[in-house]
Amino acid sequence: MTTVPRPAPLRDVNGPSALGGGSRRFFDLLRLMSVTEFKRVYFGTVLGYLWSLVRPLMLFAVLLFVFTKVFKVGSELPYYPVLLLLGIVLFTFFQEATQNSVSSVVAQEGIVRKTQFPRLVIPLAVVLTALFNLGLNLVVVMVFILAWGVDPMWTWLLLPVAVALIFVFAAAVSMALSVLYVRFRDVLIIWTVVAQVLFYATPVLYPIEYVPSTYHHLIFLNPLAPIFEQVRVWMIEPEAPTAIDVVGSFPKLLPTIAVYIAICGFGAWIFRREAPRIAEDL
Amino acid sequence: MPPAAIEVEDLHKSFRIPTQRVDSIKERVVHPFSSSSFRELRALDGVSFAIEQGEFFGIVGRNGSGKSTLLKLLASIYRADAGKIRMAGRLAPFIELGVGFNVELSARENAVLNGVMMGLTPQESRERLDAVIAFAELEEFVDLKLKNYSSGMLVRLAFSLMLEVDADILLIDEVLAVGDASFQQKCADAFREMKAAGKTIVLVTHEMATVEEYCHRAMLISDGQIQYIGDPAEVGRRYTRLNFEQGSDVGGAPTSEGDEVRLLDAWLEDEAGERIENVEQGTPIRIRVELEARRDSPGVGVGFILANADGVGVFQFGTEAIRTPEGPPDLAAGRRVRIEAEIENPLNAGRYFLHCGVNRVGGGVALYVHNALDFVVFGGDQHSLGVVSLPHEISATVEPQVGGR
């Protein structure tokens, strides 16, 4: 504790920000907070991590029953169960990441009001925790896919691309939600509803070709839709329509790309703008 | 002159205080214009100063003067509207009795997290863990979630974390003395050690005694502006005066300046004759008032009203005419009189005010000072109902049974 004071140079102090404070510290903090977030979510529970697997599996079991035994839509498709499972696991990641992010900044009030650190760490840690869960869940899904008789394909290697796209999207949405929630407490309720809508607007329960083609463009305004469609092609059914096939040509996919970029841009912009004032508004 | 550790240049910060907080989107939709009804609170208005390396610097001010805002700006928790802060070296803040905890996590996790926030690597932070926990005397509770900690334990943990991050500059808000007596001693030792090691320490407080004891220099802030920087004793004097002036205009017309007498100072003392700000429950309240006659006077009487925070008078006492042991004092213009009063203290914990009046011997009020003293009675049972605790006895007797059932 008794070190000789070194003559340190004067540096500007600019107040809190979204990033800032050095990249090493940023990543150290991010890792530490992700790990503690993971512990916080699962260590208080009896089944612990298993819950993150049980939850999508239960949803899967229920939906599989409804759509193969009740509505019988799924029973016409040879790969319906694996598609459903993969879709649910991927969507669960998106939903868990965004839903948990909403109140994340407010929940860390104690730290935000008393310490200087890059604010972005908070929602990002939540998304990373969800990503970690996704990784573990995907292992189970892969076993299931192989057991179902899908032959390994080189396009499996493209899965990380799809996950990365969903991850960036989830992170941007989380940033916007977490910082808006500081000022508007309705965000949590609104997002619960919107996430539900997004679930049905993403081809998880149904294959896209079952949707009348007039609605394809509408569904594809949801940036998750083409990503999920592409995952289907890459992972399970190479002969299924690709994202481009669904809309007709690549230029027709541009609105979707624009929506994706706009939402990501908005998330980054609003977080950057609000980050310095989070401590005051809490 | 030693190099500067902190330089602040023309710092401004205001807050928008909504008169009606718009917290939900519905409210915003229903009252689209209500968000525009806010008032601007200027917390800091053009503050500039420099603190040298190795200096122990005090920042003093009344509640709402802007001192905590300044501290939060220095700690990078708020962002300034305008102005510049420059700082040499790493800073460790200790704000509002804490360093920022996640109460859902254990002391161990919080300690490591805090170290990393302060700029240590996770490795370094873990290596310091044992020392932090040992200093805070929390070895048995290291894996307990902080939500189960007592407030004393939290403060101890926060304090030792602040010490252990080995920062060049320490920012401390409000308290020096935390925990029980032995821990206070440890803190005092740690402070002396840091002072000797040449660390820069910025202390924000309204305990003048602490400032005068520890600080090399001090600064007085009022209404977001610097009133004075320099000698801690002078800061103390000005602070008392400021308190007094502002305290007295709460009541409106009354003033400490009458035509015939003037109230120079009013304060509380402890048994040893030291000035104190607050009184412990059960300890007699020793009131000291200093008056100055402005014109020749045949003599004056004094009266006091003790009121609680709700403005309810609790007790009134006084004397028709003051007398010294030698008899009624000769009150020629310019003479000063010191009045000493002592009352029993059955008051429950809380905030109290003492109003002070001076009357002419013939009759009539010469001076009335509202809120001449503003103090807190602390300790005891915080939740006790009522204003006072009176001595009491309760007994019971059982009536002998008559007849039988």
Side-chain angles (χ1 to χ4, degrees):
Chain A
M1 238 157 44
T2 50
T3 50
V4 182
R6 46 198 177 277
L10 283 167
R11 281 192 321 263
D12 283 348
V13 174
N14 292 322
S17 60
L19 285 162
S23 57
R24 182 189 60 79
R25 173 159 167 262
F26 183 85
F27 286 112
D28 281 345
L29 265 179
L30 188 58
R31 205 186 55 199
L32 210 55
M33 287 186 88
S34 306
V35 172
T36 46
E37 168 74 13
F38 186 80
K39 284 188 197 163
R40 191 186 65 79
V41 174
Y42 294 112
F43 275 44
T45 56
V46 180
L47 283 185
Y49 160 72
L50 276 182
W51 278 120
S52 85
L53 190 59
V54 169
R55 260 167 42 204
L57 281 181
M58 274 166 60
L59 183 62
F60 165 68
V62 171
L63 292 177
L64 187 64
F65 177 79
V66 171
F67 285 94
T68 57
K69 305 290 178 215
V70 182
F71 289 123
K72 302 210 174 12
V73 189
S75 49
E76 300 163 18
L77 298 157
Y79 293 109
Y80 187 74
V82 270
L83 269 176
L84 184 64
L85 182 63
L86 181 57
I88 285 176
V89 164
L90 284 175
F91 196 86
T92 302
F93 158 66
F94 177 76
Q95 190 173 16
E96 188 183 297
T98 51
Q99 198 79 48
N100 291 347
S101 293
V102 177
S103 54
S104 61
V105 168
V106 173
Q108 299 278 17
E109 186 183 343
I111 295 177
V112 172
R113 285 168 58 111
K114 292 184 182 175
T115 339
Q116 173 265 335
F117 67 97
R119 308 309 197 198
L120 183 58
V121 169
I122 297 177
L124 222 49
V126 174
V127 180
L128 275 182
T129 307
L131 183 69
F132 184 68
N133 280 337
L134 174 67
L136 294 173
N137 287 355
L138 278 178
V139 173
V140 178
V141 173
M142 290 315 288
V143 172
F144 196 78
I145 289 176
L146 285 169
W148 197 259
V150 179
D151 291 325
M153 296 172 271
W154 73 267
T155 46
W156 282 13
L157 299 175
L158 293 171
L159 183 65
V161 176
V163 170
L165 285 171
I166 302 171
F167 174 81
V168 170
F169 189 61
V173 171
S174 299
M175 281 157 71
L177 291 174
S178 63
V179 86
L180 286 173
Y181 183 67
V182 175
R183 293 216 270 162
F184 302 105
R185 298 297 159 105
D186 317 49
V187 169
L188 185 62
I189 304 159
I190 294 173
W191 186 249
T192 311
V193 178
V194 175
Q196 198 79 42
V197 171
L198 277 180
F199 179 68
Y200 288 103
T202 306
V204 174
L205 287 178
Y206 51 85
I208 192 79
E209 33 323 347
Y210 276 44
V211 179
S213 58
T214 40
Y215 296 116
H216 283 170
H217 290 99
L218 188 65
I219 287 187
F220 264 43
L221 282 181
N222 163 21
L224 291 174
I227 301 173
F228 275 62
E229 185 57 30
Q230 216 49 53
V231 168
R232 175 187 176 197
V233 175
W234 289 339
M235 298 302 294
I236 295 161
E237 288 181 276
E239 62 281 1
T242 63
I244 293 174
D245 294 339
V246 173
V247 284
S249 64
F250 179 72
K252 291 192 175 162
L253 206 56
L254 287 177
T256 314
I257 297 173
V259 170
Y260 182 88
I261 292 173
I263 290 176
C264 292
F266 175 75
W269 171 77
I270 191 110
F271 197 88
R272 216 182 119 84
R273 201 191 70 164
E274 296 290 322
R277 293 184 31 211
I278 292 174
E280 296 165 36
D281 288 332
L282 270 174
Chain B
M1 187 181 136
I6 300 176
E7 268 181 21
V8 173
E9 237 180 271
D10 198 27
L11 205 60
H12 290 262
K13 177 77 191 169
S14 7
F15 296 101
R16 287 156 56 132
I17 312 287
T19 37
Q20 186 189 7
R21 193 183 162 94
V22 181
D23 235 350
S24 77
I25 290 171
K26 180 194 152 220
E27 280 171 44
R28 176 145 292 194
V29 171
V30 176
H31 311 285
F33 304 110
S34 63
S35 67
S36 59
S37 66
F38 61 83
R39 59 194 177 83
E40 186 141 318
L41 180 82
R42 282 176 175 233
L44 286 179
D45 195 6
V47 169
S48 307
F49 61 93
I51 300 174
E52 291 163 11
Q53 280 186 12
E55 201 170 16
F56 204 128
F57 191 84
I59 300 178
V60 184
R62 291 163 59 91
N63 289 332
S65 59
K67 59 183 193 317
S68 292
T69 305
L70 176 60
L71 195 76
K72 285 186 171 173
L73 285 167
L74 290 176
S76 269
I77 292 163
Y78 291 168
R79 177 175 282 187
D81 298 336
K84 214 168 179 173
I85 302 174
R86 303 204 308 150
M87 207 168 274
R90 200 165 60 196
L91 172 131
F94 182 78
I95 291 169
E96 289 163 8
L97 296 175
V99 296
F101 287 134
N102 182 340
V103 292
E104 290 292 328
L105 303 177
S106 67
R108 181 194 303 277
E109 289 161 322
N110 268 296
V112 174
L113 197 59
N114 189 266
V116 175
M117 284 197 177
M118 290 297 127
L120 303 177
T121 64
Q123 184 59 35
E124 285 171 332
S125 194
R126 266 179 220 111
E127 283 165 11
R128 283 163 203 245
L129 184 71
D130 289 340
V132 169
I133 299 297
F135 189 90
E137 300 164 15
L138 293 169
E139 287 92 342
E140 298 146 62
F141 309 103
V142 66
D143 288 312
L144 188 67
K145 282 185 184 177
L146 292 198
K147 63 179 174 189
N148 299 322
Y149 269 44
S150 73
S151 55
M153 289 157 80
L154 278 176
V155 170
R156 261 150 55 197
L157 179 62
F159 198 83
S160 57
L161 272 170
M162 179 193 66
L163 294 182
E164 286 295 328
V165 293
D166 195 20
D168 309 296
I169 303 169
L170 291 129
L171 278 189
I172 302 157
D173 192 6
E174 301 298 2
V175 274
L176 265 186
V178 293
D180 55 27
S182 81
F183 192 73
Q184 279 182 24
Q185 189 53 45
K186 261 165 103 170
C187 293
D189 290 347
F191 264 105
R192 266 188 283 281
E193 213 173 297
M194 283 187 296
K195 210 170 151 178
K199 306 258 182 197
T200 310
I201 302 168
V202 180
L203 175 72
V204 173
T205 183
H206 41 230
E207 290 277 337
M208 282 316 304
T210 322
V211 172
E212 288 177 30
E213 184 184 341
Y214 285 95
C215 295
H216 298 119
R217 281 198 306 150
M219 173 166 97
L220 176 64
I221 303 191
S222 168
D223 294 328
Q225 287 175 331
I226 297 177
Q227 299 293 321
Y228 180 81
I229 301 186
D231 176 30
E234 177 60 22
V235 166
R237 275 192 290 278
R238 286 175 186 245
Y239 178 62
T240 316
R241 203 177 313 149
L242 193 71
N243 256 336
F244 194 69
E245 282 163 11
Q246 297 192 352
S248 60
D249 49 50
V250 174
T255 159
S256 56
E257 302 270 327
D259 290 338
E260 294 141 75
V261 278
R262 188 150 77 112
L263 203 153
L264 294 172
D265 203 357
W267 69 96
L268 297 177
E269 273 184 11
D270 65 8
E271 247 174 314
E274 297 284 321
R275 281 190 184 221
I276 49 171
E277 306 247 326
N278 303 312
V279 187
E280 193 174 349
Q281 197 178 39
T283 339
I285 303 172
R286 298 180 179 84
I287 302 159
R288 303 289 179 263
V289 173
E290 220 170 66
L291 298 173
E292 188 184 70
R294 308 191 78 179
R295 58 168 90 130
D296 297 346
S297 146
V300 292
V302 289
F304 298 97
I305 300 168
L306 181 72
N308 70 2
D310 302 323
V312 177
V314 177
F315 178 54
Q316 181 186 1
F317 63 102
T319 159
E320 292 276 320
I322 49 172
R323 310 172 68 82
T324 58
E326 297 82 40
D330 162 34
L331 282 180
R335 288 295 292 269
R336 292 183 175 194
V337 190
R338 184 169 149 147
I339 292 159
E340 307 191 347
E342 181 169 324
I343 50 175
E344 263 182 63
N345 182 6
L347 298 172
N348 278 338
R351 189 176 176 195
Y352 292 89
F353 299 94
L354 189 80
H355 315 317
C356 173
V358 179
N359 56 279
R360 298 179 200 104
V361 163
V365 177
L367 176 73
Y368 174 71
V369 183
H370 201 77
N371 296 354
L373 278 171
D374 170 358
F375 63 99
V376 168
V377 173
F378 62 93
D381 181 2
Q382 303 281 333
H383 304 291
S384 184
L385 189 73
V387 183
V388 291
S389 301
L390 297 175
H392 53 265
E393 258 174 63
I394 298 172
S395 62
T397 35
V398 177
E399 295 284 323
Q401 270 186 352
V402 185
R405 260 190 300 169

